[in-house]
Amino acid sequence: MSETPEFPAGAGPHEPPGSREMAARAAALDAADPLAAVRDRFVLDAAPDHASGDAAVYLDGNSLGALPRTVAGRVADVIAREWGELRIRSWTESGWWTAPERVGDKIAPLIGAAPGQVVVGDSTSVNLFKAVVGGVRMAGKGCTEILVDATTFPTDGYIARSAARMTGLAVRPVEPARIADEVTERTALALVNHVDYRTGRLNDLPGITHALHSAGALAVWDLCHSAGALPVGLDAHHVDLAVGCTYKYLNGGPGAPAFLYLRESLQERFESPLPGWNSHADPFAMDPAYAPAEGIARGRVGTPDILSLLALEAALEVWDGVSVDAVRTKSLALTDFFLECVGVHVPPDRARSVTPYDHRQRGSQVSLECRGAGEVMDELIRRGVVGDFRRPDVLRFGFTPLYTSFADAERAARVLGEVLGALPEVGTGAAGTGG
Ligand SMILES: *Cc1c(COP(=O)(O)O)cnc(C)c1O
């Protein structure tokens, strides 16, 4: 007799104090949400039905964004008609050849870039390589080092180290908050994550970029966890180079191609370390001598991955009429509300937020440090709350304002409280390493 239908969401015979209020507030916040209708542009489980509780709450869009409804039909058309019927003609007639720049221009407004500065193709890792080596080649002759965000997502560090070996520079890991103090005239560039993938901390892009420029260094930003989640302002803050993936908050699909941003005024000086024929000034001249294309096409390498690229292009239609500012406003409201619900449902000694409470330092996820986090997340997923786990002890919950509701946030925190109540042995120090 634990759950009976007459209890509203969050309520039951043993609900914690405040539980009913949080459920009621979630309903009111959803009713007043100007982005609420955008959720219908995605394929998702039906809104959580508290009588059945079967539908999953999806809070892993910071790892793989949900599927926009327009994608399947578009991809079917690309395969059946553009490939199946038009075949080779599609490179020109269907606009395949120019898709990397065209899709780049559709991402550009979401990251504060004017047209002609973003190209889509290859993975984030490959674009990091282009950006770091290309950046070093543009830097002053006396430069001896690259600074790398000490808390970076690993691939950035691996690539930066290899790029440094190839260019004869050293790599120095530095905490983002220390970059302004650590940069010297010998620094070629710093590679920094805009939002920390593990903690959800938002780094100070304007301030760090300015400090790097004051020392004569270039700023290379990794936007994987900010593109589509919050305003970036690449042009406004004079960022030099940036990369980002499109399968997280841009919902482009598994393995969707990444983007490279190259500030317009630097394009002429950019020498790609991967000068494939697609980045040649006249690819079909088949010239044995390399001459780089003008503009952002210089960031291309080889033949674009058309199926993924056009799936991404269709996915970007969910942004029609949606501003990144509105997304940011809702994102902060969602993460604030989730943290409040965690406060109601979860004993403070069982889970602690490692995501900053200060809005200026928060991305669009909440990470909770919780002993036994792996086991806890497995049980959350069994109960229909899909976040993810980062070793050793972090529960990550990603909030995608285009489709995450306040009811989702409330349910996730409530079910987390239930899971911790049902797993009393977990989180007492036996599992995980804490810290
Ligand atoms: C997700 C992510 C990547 C992913 O790199 P891929 O080459 O697309 O696998 C890179 N950097 C950061 C900061 C990320 O969050």
Side-chain angles (χ1 to χ4, degrees):
M1 61 153 285
S2 58
E3 287 278 7
T4 53
E6 74 260 28
F7 289 111
H14 311 296
E15 83 271 23
S19 178
R20 277 165 199 265
E21 282 126 81
M22 297 321 276
R25 274 184 48 208
L29 287 163
D30 282 326
D33 171 17
L35 296 180
V38 180
R39 182 182 176 104
D40 294 335
R41 299 180 190 178
F42 290 86
V43 177
L44 288 163
D45 295 354
D49 168 349
H50 298 284
S52 78
D54 287 340
V57 167
Y58 191 64
L59 299 178
D60 213 3
N62 53 340
S63 206
L64 177 65
L67 170 65
R69 286 190 192 280
T70 50
V71 172
R74 175 70 182 125
V75 171
D77 181 59
V78 172
I79 291 174
R81 190 177 55 83
E82 297 186 1
W83 179 13
E85 295 172 21
L86 298 176
R87 290 177 288 268
I88 195 84
R89 290 164 56 191
S90 275
W91 282 106
T92 47
E93 290 178 27
S94 304
W96 288 358
W97 184 263
T98 49
E101 294 80 27
R102 183 179 72 243
V103 181
D105 279 344
K106 289 181 178 171
I107 293 172
L110 304 178
I111 52 178
Q117 302 177 105
V118 179
V119 68
V120 181
D122 312 310
S123 64
T124 310
S125 301
V126 170
N127 282 292
L128 282 163
F129 180 75
K130 297 178 207 170
V132 175
V133 177
V136 169
R137 287 176 174 178
M138 286 190 269
K141 285 277 171 279
C143 291
T144 57
E145 65 170 14
I146 295 170
L147 304 186
V148 175
D149 180 341
T151 49
T152 186
F153 186 89
T155 206
D156 305 53
Y158 306 156
I159 299 278
R161 255 172 231 112
S162 177
R165 259 175 71 193
M166 292 175 55
T167 52
L169 272 66
V171 163
R172 190 154 60 94
V174 176
E175 295 279 333
R178 300 271 320 146
I179 289 175
D181 297 318
E182 295 284 338
V183 63
T184 75
E185 71 284 354
R186 291 185 311 282
T187 306
L189 59 86
L191 171 60
V192 197
N193 291 183
H194 194 192
V195 174
D196 186 290
Y197 76 100
R198 197 169 167 279
T199 63
R201 184 193 65 235
L202 173 65
N203 290 316
D204 174 13
L205 180 145
I208 293 172
T209 301
H210 180 75
L212 288 165
H213 288 170
S214 303
L218 296 175
V220 185
W221 285 91
D222 183 326
L223 310 178
C224 280
H225 286 272
S226 59
L230 51 97
V232 179
L234 290 179
D235 287 352
H237 303 304
H238 312 288
V239 166
D240 301 295
L241 299 115
V243 302
C245 70
T246 63
Y247 50 77
K248 293 173 184 166
Y249 294 99
L250 294 175
N251 313 299
F259 64 85
L260 171 71
Y261 165 89
L262 190 48
R263 177 152 62 82
E264 210 250 318
S265 58
L266 289 181
Q267 289 174 1
E268 218 182 291
R269 289 167 54 207
F270 177 75
E271 288 177 51
S272 175
L274 295 170
W277 74 293
N278 267 235
S279 69
H280 194 282
D282 186 2
F284 291 95
M286 303 292 171
D287 188 343
Y290 181 74
E294 292 296 314
I296 191 63
R298 197 171 283 209
R300 289 173 70 153
V301 183
T303 305
D305 182 349
I306 292 297
L307 297 183
S308 292
L309 187 54
L310 299 186
L312 165 64
E313 185 172 32
L316 291 169
E317 287 171 23
V318 298
W319 290 91
D320 287 352
V322 175
S323 77
V324 183
D325 287 331
V327 162
R328 178 59 168 167
T329 301
K330 182 174 171 187
S331 162
L332 289 171
L334 276 168
T335 50
D336 274 343
F337 184 66
F338 177 70
L339 285 164
E340 226 186 300
C341 291
V342 167
V344 168
H345 290 285
V346 177
D349 61 330
R350 300 298 301 277
R352 178 181 78 84
S353 176
V354 292
T355 301
Y357 283 85
D358 182 346
H359 284 179
R360 290 165 303 181
Q361 295 180 37
R362 192 190 305 164
S364 201
Q365 76 184 45
V366 171
S367 297
L368 302 177
E369 203 172 67
C370 172
R371 287 183 305 276
E375 224 181 302
V376 170
M377 185 51 73
D378 286 347
E379 186 56 28
L380 275 170
I381 292 170
R382 265 195 291 278
R383 297 180 186 211
V385 174
V386 181
D388 64 23
F389 159 58
R390 286 293 173 266
R391 283 183 276 173
D393 57 3
V394 168
L395 301 169
R396 288 199 320 173
F397 301 94
F399 293 83
T400 305
L402 299 179
Y403 56 76
T404 307
S405 67
F406 291 89
D408 291 341
E410 189 278 334
R411 181 173 163 210
R414 178 163 41 84
V415 175
L416 175 61
E418 290 165 9
V419 167
L420 292 173
L423 296 175
E425 75 285 4
V426 170
T428 53
T433 57

